[in-house]
Amino acid sequence: MTQQPDIRFNETSVEGSELAYLRESVESGHTSSSGPFSRRAGALLQQETGAQEVLLTTSCTAALELAAMMLDLHPGDTVIVPSFTFVTTALAFTRQGARVLFCDIEPRTLGLDPEHLATLLDDSVRAVVPVHYAGIAGDVDGLRQALAHRPDVAVIEDNAHGLFGRHRGEPLGSLGRFATLSFHETKNIVCGEGGALLVNETGDIDRVRVLYDKGTNRRAFFLGQVDKYSWKDTGSSFGLSDTLAAYLYAQLERAQEIQTKRRAVFERYERLVAPYAREWGLSLPVVPAGSEPAYHMFYLLLPDRSARDAVLAGMREQGVQPTFHYVPLHDSEGGRRFAARMTECPVTVDVSGRLLRLPFHNNLGEADAERVVATLVSSLSTHRASHLANRAGS
Ligand SMILES: Cc1ncc(COP(=O)(O)O)c(C=O)c1O
């Protein structure tokens, strides 16, 4: 039998004019930030999300840091973040001096649990950072209800997964004061490393431009609003190179095709896995009514951690590379150090131990998906047999 090539968790693909635009960018001489490709990419993102301003950044992490700087956080301030997220959803705020309060997720969408959130809201809270896990909107209505009496609390959507997703027709990324995007190589739209800050309130625009541009009013200078530029405020160097923006713009031009391909992968997995769900105790992603997913990933919840770990290993042995995801932050060394106080996040702990992400990329075809699901089922079967044998032997 010939050895089949591995099915990797992620593969990047050139979808349109990426290489031509890279060349054009380098030859144009404008390779630093805020150049012509950044403007074009920003305009497409603005069109999609309705943001008042789009600032391309070196990563989603950098965009979160810029949002955190805009809050002028002081000692004693807290920011509510999910425990089930990437480290920098929390880190961006703690490095600005805040402490974090870890909120649990609700088991349907794996987004912030509004009921737990309501118990955490005290006078110290300055912001809440929801994550739309896998690009599926969290419980946005519940979140709005929980925050209805707290207009002083900023909502900053960490929308690393959710560009092109919608909640009741509203684009993910348009629901709070700020939102952040990621164009890291594992995302739907990529440029290697990159991100964006979406600014949804006009009152923030002038200041955020200064913080974005190393604390200077350089942008106002280039817009002809002032006759020289100088140091004005805090800030850092957040801008994405225009050469990476060129790659990004080519991807954004092909967004519809990319989303169509990813939707097909998601639906293929749904169709292939569903017949096994009951027998093997698998939960598939839930897309609530009124929610349009961004088709960022396809995950499964297995019955328990030992099944998940066995299946991870079993599939990898057969040349298929699924992966797990976030390790609970509230229980991590950094999380304990930077939390305002300890909180309980039992759903996060449970989901983190049972979640398996299947290989997912633009060009994962029917035969690949069939092989992924076949290795999943055979690994489950092997695990069950060894479990039964252990029970019989004990
Ligand atoms: C929810 C979430 N937020 C933020 C990030 C960080 O993104 P970046 O690598 O662009 O900084 C990630 C990374 O995957 C993520 O999953």
Short mmCIF file of all heavy atoms in Angstrom, two decimals, residues 59-61 64 85-86 88-89 131 158 160-161 182 184 187 193-194 326, ligand 1:
data_model
loop_
_atom_site.label_atom_id
_atom_site.label_comp_id
_atom_site.label_asym_id
_atom_site.label_seq_id
_atom_site.Cartn_x
_atom_site.Cartn_y
_atom_site.Cartn_z
N SER A 59 -0.69 42.18 14.36
CA SER A 59 -1.37 40.96 14.83
C SER A 59 -2.68 41.35 15.51
O SER A 59 -2.91 42.54 15.79
CB SER A 59 -0.49 40.21 15.85
OG SER A 59 -0.29 41.02 17.00
N CYS A 60 -3.47 40.34 15.80
CA CYS A 60 -4.68 40.57 16.61
C CYS A 60 -4.25 40.98 18.02
O CYS A 60 -4.88 41.82 18.66
CB CYS A 60 -5.53 39.30 16.63
SG CYS A 60 -7.06 39.42 17.55
N THR A 61 -3.17 40.36 18.49
CA THR A 61 -2.63 40.70 19.81
C THR A 61 -2.33 42.19 19.89
O THR A 61 -2.69 42.88 20.85
CB THR A 61 -1.36 39.88 20.07
OG1 THR A 61 -1.72 38.49 20.07
CG2 THR A 61 -0.69 40.25 21.37
N LEU A 64 -5.46 44.18 20.14
CA LEU A 64 -6.00 44.13 21.51
C LEU A 64 -5.23 45.08 22.42
O LEU A 64 -5.80 45.76 23.27
CB LEU A 64 -5.93 42.69 22.05
CG LEU A 64 -6.94 41.70 21.47
CD1 LEU A 64 -6.49 40.26 21.71
CD2 LEU A 64 -8.33 41.93 22.08
N THR A 85 -9.95 31.05 25.98
CA THR A 85 -9.50 31.88 24.86
C THR A 85 -7.99 31.84 24.78
O THR A 85 -7.32 31.19 25.59
CB THR A 85 -10.00 33.34 25.03
OG1 THR A 85 -9.62 34.11 23.86
CG2 THR A 85 -9.40 34.03 26.24
N PHE A 86 -7.47 32.55 23.80
CA PHE A 86 -6.02 32.64 23.64
C PHE A 86 -5.44 33.57 24.71
O PHE A 86 -6.12 34.50 25.16
CB PHE A 86 -5.71 33.18 22.23
CG PHE A 86 -4.28 33.06 21.85
CD1 PHE A 86 -3.70 31.82 21.64
CD2 PHE A 86 -3.50 34.19 21.71
CE1 PHE A 86 -2.36 31.71 21.29
CE2 PHE A 86 -2.16 34.09 21.36
CZ PHE A 86 -1.59 32.86 21.15
N THR A 88 -3.50 36.09 24.77
CA THR A 88 -3.39 37.55 24.63
C THR A 88 -4.73 38.28 24.74
O THR A 88 -4.73 39.50 24.87
CB THR A 88 -2.67 37.92 23.31
OG1 THR A 88 -3.33 37.30 22.21
CG2 THR A 88 -1.22 37.49 23.36
N THR A 89 -5.84 37.56 24.70
CA THR A 89 -7.13 38.21 24.99
C THR A 89 -7.06 38.83 26.39
O THR A 89 -7.63 39.88 26.65
CB THR A 89 -8.29 37.18 24.95
OG1 THR A 89 -8.20 36.40 23.78
CG2 THR A 89 -9.64 37.85 25.02
N VAL A 131 -15.40 36.59 22.90
CA VAL A 131 -14.77 35.92 21.76
C VAL A 131 -15.86 35.11 21.06
O VAL A 131 -16.63 34.42 21.72
CB VAL A 131 -13.66 34.95 22.25
CG1 VAL A 131 -13.12 34.09 21.11
CG2 VAL A 131 -12.52 35.73 22.92
N ASP A 158 -13.12 40.36 20.71
CA ASP A 158 -11.95 39.67 20.15
C ASP A 158 -12.52 38.80 19.03
O ASP A 158 -12.97 37.69 19.26
CB ASP A 158 -11.24 38.85 21.22
CG ASP A 158 -10.05 38.10 20.64
OD1 ASP A 158 -9.99 37.96 19.40
OD2 ASP A 158 -9.20 37.64 21.43
N ALA A 160 -11.04 37.42 16.49
CA ALA A 160 -9.95 36.74 15.77
C ALA A 160 -10.50 35.65 14.83
O ALA A 160 -9.91 35.38 13.79
CB ALA A 160 -8.97 36.12 16.76
N HIS A 161 -11.63 35.04 15.20
CA HIS A 161 -12.16 33.92 14.40
C HIS A 161 -13.31 34.34 13.49
O HIS A 161 -13.73 33.55 12.67
CB HIS A 161 -12.72 32.82 15.31
CG HIS A 161 -11.74 32.26 16.29
ND1 HIS A 161 -12.08 31.27 17.19
CD2 HIS A 161 -10.44 32.53 16.53
CE1 HIS A 161 -11.04 30.98 17.94
NE2 HIS A 161 -10.04 31.74 17.57
N SER A 182 -7.72 38.88 13.30
CA SER A 182 -6.42 38.23 13.12
C SER A 182 -6.27 37.75 11.68
O SER A 182 -7.21 37.17 11.12
CB SER A 182 -6.29 37.03 14.06
OG SER A 182 -5.06 36.36 13.80
N HIS A 184 -3.42 35.89 11.05
CA HIS A 184 -2.39 34.87 11.27
C HIS A 184 -2.61 33.71 10.29
O HIS A 184 -3.75 33.48 9.85
CB HIS A 184 -2.52 34.39 12.72
CG HIS A 184 -1.54 33.33 13.10
ND1 HIS A 184 -1.87 32.00 13.06
CD2 HIS A 184 -0.26 33.41 13.51
CE1 HIS A 184 -0.81 31.29 13.45
NE2 HIS A 184 0.18 32.12 13.73
N LYS A 187 -5.84 31.60 10.02
CA LYS A 187 -7.19 32.18 9.95
C LYS A 187 -7.76 32.07 8.52
O LYS A 187 -7.11 31.57 7.63
CB LYS A 187 -7.13 33.65 10.42
CG LYS A 187 -6.61 33.80 11.85
CD LYS A 187 -7.43 33.03 12.86
CE LYS A 187 -7.07 33.29 14.30
NZ LYS A 187 -5.73 32.84 14.71
N GLU A 193 1.44 37.03 9.52
CA GLU A 193 1.06 37.59 10.82
C GLU A 193 0.43 38.94 10.52
O GLU A 193 1.01 39.75 9.79
CB GLU A 193 2.29 37.84 11.71
CG GLU A 193 3.07 36.61 12.11
CD GLU A 193 2.57 35.95 13.39
OE1 GLU A 193 1.54 36.40 13.95
OE2 GLU A 193 3.20 34.98 13.81
N GLY A 194 -0.72 39.20 11.08
CA GLY A 194 -1.36 40.49 10.87
C GLY A 194 -2.65 40.57 11.64
O GLY A 194 -3.14 39.55 12.16
N TYR A 326 -7.72 25.72 23.45
CA TYR A 326 -7.23 26.48 24.60
C TYR A 326 -7.19 25.67 25.90
O TYR A 326 -8.11 24.94 26.24
CB TYR A 326 -8.13 27.69 24.85
CG TYR A 326 -8.36 28.55 23.64
CD1 TYR A 326 -9.65 28.83 23.20
CD2 TYR A 326 -7.30 29.09 22.92
CE1 TYR A 326 -9.88 29.65 22.10
CE2 TYR A 326 -7.52 29.90 21.82
CZ TYR A 326 -8.81 30.16 21.42
OH TYR A 326 -9.04 30.95 20.32
C1 LIG B 1 -9.41 34.33 20.25
C2 LIG B 1 -8.03 34.75 19.84
N1 LIG B 1 -7.63 36.00 20.11
C3 LIG B 1 -6.41 36.44 19.76
C4 LIG B 1 -5.52 35.63 19.09
C5 LIG B 1 -4.17 36.16 18.72
O1 LIG B 1 -4.08 36.41 17.33
P1 LIG B 1 -2.71 36.85 16.68
O2 LIG B 1 -1.89 35.62 16.49
O3 LIG B 1 -3.10 37.49 15.37
O4 LIG B 1 -2.07 37.83 17.60
C6 LIG B 1 -5.88 34.32 18.79
C7 LIG B 1 -4.95 33.43 18.09
O5 LIG B 1 -5.26 32.51 17.44
C8 LIG B 1 -7.17 33.86 19.18
O6 LIG B 1 -7.56 32.59 18.94
#
